[in-house]
Amino acid sequence: MAQKKQPRTPPRPSPTPRGVSKGALQKSKPRDELSPDAYLRARIRDVPDFPRPGIMFKDIVPLLADPKAFHMVLDGLAHPFIGEHVDVVAGIEARGFIFGGALAARLNASFVPLRKPGKLPGETDRVSYALEYGANELEIQDDSLENGAKVLIVDDLLATGGTAAAAGELVRRQGGYVAAYAFAVELDFLKGRRKLAPTPVVSLLRY
Ligand code: AMP
């Protein structure tokens, strides 16, 4: 009777995914039992009094450091737009670039940056707006949008809505149509959503 061929070397343990330490994988095991919402919330770090006294800063860096969490956020933000035609994802500097760029690639859309003043070369259009802390300005390059382009505006977090409303104004002024706004985090108590109505707002983690 033919003998079963023995493997010459013992099977190797499956490789650790690139960029993930073995320690991190072991630690994340019990947390995998959390609901998706709790899994993501556990990766948003509250930093009191940053960047000013009285502000509870929602730090998304731990979420970005976890490939699974980042993937889940991108899935959640992309989901409502699968099958909807989005021409352009416009990301708001700086954290809106992180989610916006990845989302544009998933939606087969272009990416257009909305930047802080003085960063974009060539002719630009600019708006000023009030922040939860302080004031700011945003710029877009002239002619970066086709007339009537369907635009999804993306940022990491919706607070008072001033930044996103300013982004919407810029997009419309450049001939774009703001189809929706998308955020990883929304601070409900600041009612930013009202400032963006009637345009649809998608957010994943509401506080
Ligand atoms: P707002 O214009 O008030 O909606 O503020 C939204 C912008 O400010 C986003 O680009 C956020 O990244 C940032 N931001 C405002 N408040 C916070 C906060 N509590 N934690 C983290 N980022 C914030």
Side-chain angles (χ1 to χ4, degrees), residues 90 92 114 125-130 136-142 144-145 151 153 161-181 195-197 199:
I92 300 174
L114 306 176
D125 193 2
R126 181 186 292 193
V127 283
S128 304
Y129 60 95
N136 216 337
E137 291 180 308
L138 271 186
E139 283 187 355
I140 190 171
Q141 270 172 334
D142 281 342
S144 47
L145 299 174
V151 180
I153 294 176
T163 309
E169 191 184 329
L170 269 183
V171 165
R172 291 186 187 110
R173 244 159 48 182
Q174 288 296 312
Y177 167 74
V178 183
Y181 295 89
K195 212 173 264 175
L196 308 178
T199 305

Side-chain angles (χ1 to χ4, degrees), residues 47-123:
V47 185
D49 300 319
F50 181 85
R52 306 255 165 93
I55 301 293
M56 179 63 82
F57 189 83
K58 297 285 183 194
D59 182 16
I60 55 151
V61 171
L63 186 149
L64 300 174
D66 180 337
K68 177 172 160 177
F70 191 25
H71 206 94
M72 286 162 71
V73 169
L74 292 172
D75 280 350
L77 293 180
H79 190 257
F81 305 103
I82 307 279
E84 301 289 320
H85 187 79
V86 173
D87 295 304
V88 174
V89 173
I92 300 174
E93 185 169 0
R95 291 182 294 270
F97 291 178
I98 301 169
F99 296 105
L103 209 52
R106 283 191 180 203
L107 295 174
N108 288 326
S110 318
F111 179 79
V112 169
L114 306 176
R115 298 210 62 178
K116 308 224 161 109
K119 304 268 188 181
L120 289 168
E123 297 295 310

Side-chain angles (χ1 to χ4, degrees), residues 55-58 95 131-133 155-163 187:
I55 301 293
M56 179 63 82
F57 189 83
K58 297 285 183 194
R95 291 182 294 270
L131 269 182
E132 190 192 358
Y133 38 84
D155 204 355
D156 66 326
L157 181 142
L158 173 64
T160 65
T163 309
L187 304 182

